[in-house]
Amino acid sequence: MSKAITRSAGAPPGAALDGFMRLPAQRQIGLLLSLALVVGLLGAAFTYATRPAMVPLLAGMTERDTADAMDALSRNGFKYSVDSTTGRLMVPASSLHEARIRLATEGLPRAAATGFESLGQDSGFGTSRMVENARYHHALEGELGRSIMTLNGVESARVHLGLPKPTVFLRDRATPTASVLINLHPGRKLDESQVAGIVHLVASSVPDLDAEHVTVVDQRGRLLTSPQDHAGAGVSGRDLDYVQRLEESYVRRITELLAPVLGMEGFRAQVAAAVDFTLVESTEELFDPDNAVLRSEQVSEDLNSPASATGGIPGALSNQPPPAGVAVPAGEGALAAVPGGVLDPVPPQNTSRRSTRNFEVDRTVRHTKQAPTSLQRLSVAVVVDHRPASADPGAERIPLTEAELTRIEGLVREAVGFDATRGDSVNVVSTSFMPQAELEPVDAMPLWREPWVADVVKQGLLALLALIIVPLVLRPMLKNLSVQPVRRAQALPAGAQVPALAGSTAGGNAAVVAQKRESGEDQLKVAQNMVREDPKLVAQVVKQWVASDGN
């Protein structure tokens, strides 16, 4: 029967190291590799379980924006990493939205636009003037784009300038133009004042550029600036927006007036406005004949000579004496007073009188241009829900009386500015509203889809792996290191006797053994001391025991 001596469970801590040092080199290397593999596996599992899932923060960020974002995340205490493959900035999935909101508050990311700093770059030797002008125009466009991007709601902007070549000929001069492309943040919209500000900003930054020659377009291709001339056919989108805002303002007035009386859910109101966008220009000239004023007068008189006067063509015929007078009998009217009673035979030949008068007439010239937004008619419809007959929760609902409807109609008329000459109409009706359907409750998110469940599962798998590896791998390995293998002792020569133990006489071995047999515990301690002091001697003793048992 073979026997072996092993260490007890209460061996000193150095026993495992002592046992490991007594192992063969191959077994030591194997145990070290196995231990390193187990520790590495546990470390990798722990790192994977405790590391949060990283997702890209934002796509399409430039290097400058990425650097600014890293600085902002560091200041605000966010964890981040940079993907070595794509170069994207990664953040934990649990803090993705919070990190994006934080970057948005700091105006990140910013679109890259080249401004006047590009003019400081080395342009090289022999750069033409055309290239320099093109670089200046590009830099000016970049600066205008940067200025526009500082506005709230604008994510990025690009400006294109059409600057004509200067010329000394007036007839060949062209006016500069500009176009602006704006990319707005999701859910944002620019009002008319902001669009007008962008237009005047660009027009004031370029010499000789008029505001009407600036066009603003958003990322959806919608024209945000409309021409001022309404003479074209059709109705523009700006006109439709005006009608919609006008109707909404009337509905808001009615709601603010009736909500305290009927409640927000007790009525519905709609307004339809007919607006004329025709631009009319008229010119008239008026005259008032009653207010005539004499401005100038011209009178011309012509009186010819009498027949007895010498006249005609000079010569013998014109030098004839006048004919003899004609005697008039006395007592004939007016001729009696004529001396001698003789009259000229022929009176004067021609007498002419002309008169021209110029009067200043009162004249009025009137040029009228009517506004293109003329309200022609309003149509208002109000539906009032039935009211409960009593204050009880389950009371019957009854319609409103005619007097109540009349009072409501009067309030609506005053709210919208009712004008009968314009053809406005207001209709108030009391009817029962359909009961509102109860919304179905939204199903709660399954537990396994919660973000924290994945982390808990990872940690649970790590704990399970540790529970499996520690008792099944590490513990047997360490226990194996604490066990000292039994080495075979070399055979003694024939006739040789077992040497005595150290510190004892040749015949005192039996006495020492007899003194230590008081109990089994003492015997075990003696055996352990013997093995520790002289293992070779113990091996010889065990060999002799085996030989004696065999005999």
Side-chain angles (χ1 to χ4, degrees), residues 27 31 66 69 86 123 138 149 210 219 311 316 318 345 349 365 369 380 398 427 478 501 512 523 537 549:
R27 191 172 181 184
L31 288 176
T66 302
T86 61
S123 58
H138 182 66
M149 283 189 292
D210 298 331
Q219 72 271 23
S318 63
Q349 296 181 356
V365 179
K369 183 178 180 180
V380 183
I398 60 176
N427 189 11
L478 296 176
L501 294 177
V512 174
Q523 295 177 2
L537 180 60
D549 292 342

Side-chain angles (χ1 to χ4, degrees), residues 83-275:
D83 191 352
S84 59
T85 303
T86 61
R88 291 183 177 181
L89 190 60
M90 313 292 288
V91 296
S94 57
S95 59
L96 173 62
H97 301 290
E98 185 178 358
R100 287 181 176 178
I101 294 174
R102 181 62 61 182
L103 292 182
T105 56
E106 299 190 8
L108 294 174
R110 301 183 181 92
T114 305
F116 285 133
E117 66 272 7
S118 62
L119 300 179
Q121 300 176 0
D122 187 12
S123 58
F125 181 75
T127 303
S128 63
R129 185 174 182 179
M130 182 185 67
V131 175
E132 292 293 338
N133 291 334
R135 292 180 59 184
Y136 172 76
H137 292 167
H138 182 66
L140 182 59
E141 293 172 352
E143 291 293 335
L144 290 175
R146 287 180 177 178
S147 301
I148 296 173
M149 283 189 292
T150 58
L151 300 177
N152 293 332
V154 179
E155 182 178 0
S156 61
R158 295 191 63 184
V159 180
H160 302 278
L161 299 178
L163 302 180
K165 186 178 181 180
T167 178
V168 297
F169 300 101
L170 296 178
R171 71 178 67 182
D172 296 337
R173 288 184 180 179
T175 57
T177 58
S179 58
V180 182
L181 176 62
I182 296 178
N183 186 16
L184 302 176
H185 288 288
R188 299 294 184 89
K189 182 179 180 182
L190 297 180
D191 54 15
E192 294 183 0
S193 61
Q194 291 177 320
V195 175
I198 295 174
V199 170
H200 287 82
L201 173 65
V202 177
S204 302
S205 303
V206 180
D208 300 331
L209 177 59
D210 298 331
E212 57 267 16
H213 294 158
V214 180
T215 303
V216 181
V217 183
D218 62 0
Q219 72 271 23
R220 298 182 180 178
R222 295 182 302 180
L223 183 63
L224 302 182
T225 55
S226 58
Q228 300 295 330
D229 187 10
H230 293 266
V235 180
S236 63
R238 184 177 181 181
D239 298 337
L240 296 178
D241 293 339
Y242 173 80
V243 174
Q244 184 177 4
R245 291 195 304 270
L246 181 63
E247 294 174 349
E248 290 177 354
S249 65
Y250 283 122
V251 172
R252 186 168 55 253
R253 293 181 185 178
I254 299 173
T255 302
E256 293 177 355
L257 185 63
L258 299 181
V261 180
L262 304 175
M264 291 299 298
E265 300 298 331
F267 71 97
R268 295 291 185 272
Q270 289 294 331
V271 177
V275 183

Side-chain angles (χ1 to χ4, degrees), residues 361-381:
V361 182
D362 187 12
R363 186 184 65 168
T364 303
V365 179
R366 182 179 301 168
H367 181 76
T368 306
K369 183 178 180 180
Q370 297 181 1
T373 54
S374 176
L375 181 60
Q376 292 183 337
R377 188 172 182 271
L378 278 179
S379 299
V380 183

